[in-house]
Amino acid sequence: MNKTVLLIEDNEQNRYLTTFLLERHGFTVMSAPDGLRGIELANSCAPDIILLDIQLPTMDGYAVARALRQTGHLNHVPIVAVTSFAMVGDREKSLMAGCNGYIEKPINPDTFVSEIEQFLPDQHSVHEGS
Ligand code: MN
């Protein structure tokens, strides 16, 4: 069965590229442009993994991660922060907020999907070419 990725990202171009890369590798992608809608979707779509932009309007990614971690049935879902903040301490802040890992933007299209797969508990490969 396809793994479902929930992508919470406000930048349309980043959403487009990330969705394209993941769908090409067999993932199902749901996306939300802000934290509140992301949390709603997380509750309704039971994602296998959540990719979380940190720079979001209204509610930043740290707040979203903390809110997700306070939701019992989402507690075990891996959350990977994806951020262009290249500041010292961001990795630690992401982990403190409940994220499992951290990927820096701009994402590398050649390695992005395999980086994401490392956070999935079940390592069935879904590679289809490339
Ligand atoms: Mn953003």
Side-chain angles (χ1 to χ4, degrees):
M1 204 177 84
N2 286 0
K3 298 279 186 187
T4 298
V5 178
L6 170 60
L7 172 63
I8 306 175
E9 163 68 77
D10 62 321
N11 182 284
E12 193 180 347
Q13 245 180 312
N14 289 341
R15 274 205 309 277
Y16 180 84
L17 173 64
T18 308
T19 301
F20 171 80
L21 291 170
L22 289 165
E23 286 182 348
R24 197 176 65 178
H25 285 81
F27 288 92
T28 298
V29 181
M30 318 276 293
S31 65
D34 62 59
L36 283 180
R37 276 180 278 186
I39 292 165
E40 258 176 43
L41 259 185
N43 278 298
S44 59
C45 82
D48 295 292
I49 187 167
I50 298 170
L51 303 186
L52 178 61
D53 181 25
I54 294 298
Q55 291 172 282
L56 290 168
T58 318
M59 187 180 189
D60 71 18
Y62 303 120
V64 175
R66 284 191 293 270
L68 290 169
R69 285 301 180 231
Q70 281 162 17
T71 307
H73 66 281
L74 296 172
N75 228 347
H76 65 286
V77 180
I79 302 174
V80 181
V82 185
T83 177
S84 52
F85 274 16
M87 292 173 60
V88 178
D90 279 347
R91 181 182 293 270
E92 290 69 22
K93 270 167 81 178
S94 303
L95 298 178
M96 289 281 288
C99 296
N100 300 76
Y102 177 100
I103 292 178
E104 274 181 29
K105 288 183 201 169
I107 61 169
N108 179 343
D110 296 328
T111 57
F112 178 71
V113 174
S114 56
E115 288 178 69
I116 296 309
E117 283 174 334
Q118 289 171 23
F119 293 100
L120 287 168
D122 190 19
Q123 286 287 347
H124 287 302
S125 181
V126 290
H127 283 287
E128 291 163 9
S130 72

